[in-house]
Amino acid sequence: MVELKTTESIDKMRAPGRVVAHALAAVRDRARVGVSLLELDETAREVLREAGASSPFLGYRPRFAPVPFPAVICASVNDAIVHGIPSGYRLRDGDLVSIDCGAKLGGWAGDAAVSFTVGRARPSDLRLIETAEAALAAGIAAAVPGNRIGDIAHAIGTVCRSAGYGIPDGFGGHGIGRNMHEDPGVPNEGPPGRGMRLRPGMVLAIEPMVIAGGTDDYSCDGDGWTLRTVDGSRAAHAEHTVAITDDGPRILTAL
């Protein structure tokens, strides 16, 4: 069931969205060669604490997970696509890092992700990140009343495939509101003009994921969470929480 949010509710969702934006900015600022993923997680925890927000990631355990998620960010490095668990791994020169973060505040949730490089960047990594961001922008542009979920999926998929990249099969965005994951699902590829019609008051987490090697296949680490490319190629992830309004898409997780 999809809950249509009122204008007042969407305004309230801006608060956790802003917290997420600040957390991602703080993590990105701290992400330097030699810094551990656990230190990045602590940086995000501090932003949430200062804002009086809680983490919808911490302790989250969907049906597929063998254990609850132990952190407030997902930290996925190089060939990790999404859901990486922060560890003692220390960032190295040239790493590609994807950080996903959520926040709950005032009974509402926000969710966003960003990818970036540490130290000297590979040109191929910069192209991959730019494509993920372009796909996100295309998906957001399609998030208007009267369109359908398939129009968002098609916009994202067209950008990713045109660049020659893979899209992890079966993973995409989702509705968001009082809970981090709500209906409807938002695929990252599919035919236009299909699926649920978009209406003002719907709020979606739109999140393209791209694989440099061109394959759609992935594997899951022994931790039961981390998704990794099967060919060892790098991956990038970009995400915003977006409200569908009569005035166009409203990004709730921007600074």
Side-chain angles (χ1 to χ4, degrees), residues 13 15 25 83 104 130 134 233:
M13 288 188 71
H83 302 163
K104 285 202 76 174
E130 288 169 1
S233 65

Side-chain angles (χ1 to χ4, degrees), residues 21-246:
H22 283 295
L24 289 174
V27 168
R28 184 170 187 165
D29 185 63
R30 190 173 183 187
R32 303 169 187 268
V33 173
V35 174
S36 75
L37 300 182
L38 284 173
E39 289 173 313
L40 297 184
D41 185 67
E42 181 53 40
T43 295
R45 288 176 189 251
E46 182 60 27
V47 173
L48 266 62
R49 280 195 294 267
E50 290 181 357
S54 61
S55 170
F57 288 19
L58 185 63
Y60 179 60
R61 188 179 184 183
R63 284 175 292 182
F64 68 78
V67 295
F69 197 77
V72 304
I73 61 170
C74 297
S76 306
V77 180
N78 296 332
D79 64 335
I81 306 168
V82 287
H83 302 163
I85 296 176
S87 67
Y89 175 85
R90 294 192 176 276
L91 295 173
R92 300 171 184 172
D93 188 43
D95 277 346
L96 192 165
V97 184
S98 296
I99 302 293
D100 194 351
C101 184
K104 285 202 76 174
L105 186 64
W108 298 98
D111 186 12
V114 63
S115 295
F116 53 86
T117 57
V118 176
R120 291 169 294 183
R122 299 180 183 181
S124 58
D125 287 345
L126 296 179
R127 288 195 298 271
L128 186 68
I129 293 168
E130 288 169 1
T131 299
E133 292 172 347
L136 174 59
I140 292 172
V144 296
N147 271 359
R148 294 183 180 271
I149 290 290
D151 294 311
I152 297 176
H154 181 70
I156 292 170
T158 297
V159 171
C160 298
R161 296 299 188 190
S162 295
Y165 295 136
I167 301 170
D169 186 42
F171 281 84
H174 49 88
I176 184 171
R178 299 184 186 277
N179 298 298
M180 179 172 62
H181 288 138
E182 297 183 352
D183 292 332
V186 185
N188 284 331
E189 187 173 34
R194 303 281 184 89
M196 183 177 294
R197 190 171 295 281
L198 304 179
R199 299 169 59 191
M202 294 175 69
V203 183
L204 307 173
I206 300 173
E207 52 176 324
M209 308 156 198
V210 289
I211 298 173
T215 178
D216 298 348
D217 297 329
Y218 57 86
S219 62
C220 187
D221 283 0
D223 60 22
W225 281 98
T226 308
L227 300 187
R228 200 172 296 277
T229 64
V230 296
D231 59 2
S233 65
R234 296 192 168 194
H237 178 205
E239 178 183 17
H240 269 308
T241 294
V242 180
I244 296 169
T245 78
D246 285 321

